[in-house]
Amino acid sequence: MPTTILLTSFQTWLPDQKSNASDDLLLKLQAENDPFPDQALSLTFLRQLPVDVFPASDLAIAKIKHLQPDVVICCGMAESRSRLTVEAGATPRYVVAQFYWFIYYIVLQKIFRFQGLSYFLSALLGNKTNVETHFLNTSVDLEELLEGLTETEMSYDAGKFVCEGLYYQVLSYLRDYAPTTGCIFVHVPVLTTENISTIMTDFRLILSRLAVWATIQRQNQIRDITTAA
């Protein structure tokens, strides 16, 4: 049974940007011929999400519902960073960035969730301590995932903007509806001829290790069901 991995990337958000590094990375991976010959991996790409939390989250979650992947890897660009960074988790503090999201939440959301509103108000009113208590961690052991990688490190700052917003929304959905599905967010530096080779090597290793992680999760789930029966 192949491991299904959904990978997402963003569009550009500034006029002078020719491309988004997260999309460049996925485009290069997508162009490779069988990058994982020794593993049963099925990769699905959801590229160039809009740089807007709720439309991007809606598209990603709709794809998750349809595909039911074993793992979700959301990718975004971090121009100021020089290495791949995998985010440990996310908070709802991104809502501070654009006040109109509050109007969207109240008026346009079909399902009104008071818990989500409380997260928003905490962030909007600047109650940092309260917001930080809503930190959602990835279920993936990042220390084990990143062990020995040369161009990748762990991060506890997902950016407080659209990247963190998407990550938080996806983690929240998976926590409530698909707790066995793993999810990480990878920030990608600007890709150059000097760094592309080592970054791609690390990224392939991350995917390969996540496939092993997902296999173990399935085995544990089957064992728990068998034991309960």
Side-chain angles (χ1 to χ4, degrees):
M1 182 178 180
T3 297
T4 302
I5 299 181
L6 172 65
L7 301 103
T8 76
S9 65
F10 282 109
Q11 300 171 349
T12 58
W13 69 94
L14 294 175
D16 62 332
Q17 292 173 332
K18 295 182 180 180
S19 63
N20 187 302
S22 68
D23 194 55
D24 294 340
L25 186 70
L26 296 198
L27 183 61
K28 185 169 181 60
L29 181 66
Q30 195 172 17
E32 292 184 348
N33 182 26
D34 195 13
F36 305 97
D38 299 326
Q39 287 181 291
L41 263 177
S42 174
L43 304 182
T44 298
F45 296 86
L46 181 61
R47 295 177 45 223
Q48 297 196 0
L49 291 172
V51 185
D52 198 334
V53 172
F54 290 105
S57 300
D58 288 345
L59 289 168
I61 290 172
K63 192 68 173 180
I64 291 169
K65 289 179 181 178
H66 173 72
L67 185 64
Q68 297 185 7
D70 299 298
V71 177
V72 180
I73 303 176
C74 300
C75 300
M77 180 162 69
E79 290 180 294
S80 63
R81 302 182 187 183
S82 60
R83 309 171 74 192
L84 287 177
T85 46
V86 181
E87 304 299 335
T91 74
R93 57 191 171 177
Y94 60 89
V95 292
V96 178
Q98 295 185 32
F99 181 76
Y100 79 87
W101 292 343
F102 177 62
I103 305 301
Y104 178 98
Y105 213 100
I106 296 295
V107 178
L108 299 182
Q109 290 289 69
K110 294 181 179 179
I111 300 175
F112 185 86
R113 296 180 62 186
F114 285 96
Q115 186 178 26
L117 179 60
S118 72
Y119 295 165
F120 177 89
L121 292 176
S122 296
L124 182 65
L125 296 175
N127 188 344
K128 183 177 179 181
T129 301
N130 193 21
V131 171
E132 294 296 338
T133 64
H134 295 300
F135 188 88
L136 292 182
N137 288 282
T138 175
S139 60
V140 178
D141 184 338
L142 294 190
E143 291 188 0
E144 182 177 336
L145 179 69
L146 306 184
E147 184 178 0
L149 300 187
T150 61
E151 293 298 322
T152 309
E153 59 191 8
M154 193 188 312
S155 166
Y156 290 89
D157 183 1
K160 305 180 185 66
F161 195 45
V162 179
C163 289
E164 182 159 36
L166 174 65
Y167 196 23
Y168 184 85
Q169 292 289 331
V170 172
L171 286 175
S172 181
Y173 172 80
L174 294 177
R175 176 197 61 190
D176 294 341
Y177 300 104
T180 60
T181 299
C183 177
I184 62 171
F185 193 101
V186 179
H187 267 120
V188 184
V190 175
L191 300 177
T192 66
T193 54
E194 289 77 23
N195 68 12
I196 183 64
S197 178
T198 51
I199 284 178
M200 285 301 300
T201 296
D202 272 16
F203 194 61
R204 290 190 206 96
L205 279 170
I206 288 171
L207 267 69
S208 180
R209 291 177 180 182
L210 284 172
V212 174
W213 177 89
T215 299
I216 293 172
Q217 298 305 303
R218 285 198 300 267
Q219 291 172 345
N220 290 342
Q221 187 177 21
I222 292 171
R223 181 197 61 199
D224 292 342
I225 293 173
T226 303
T227 302

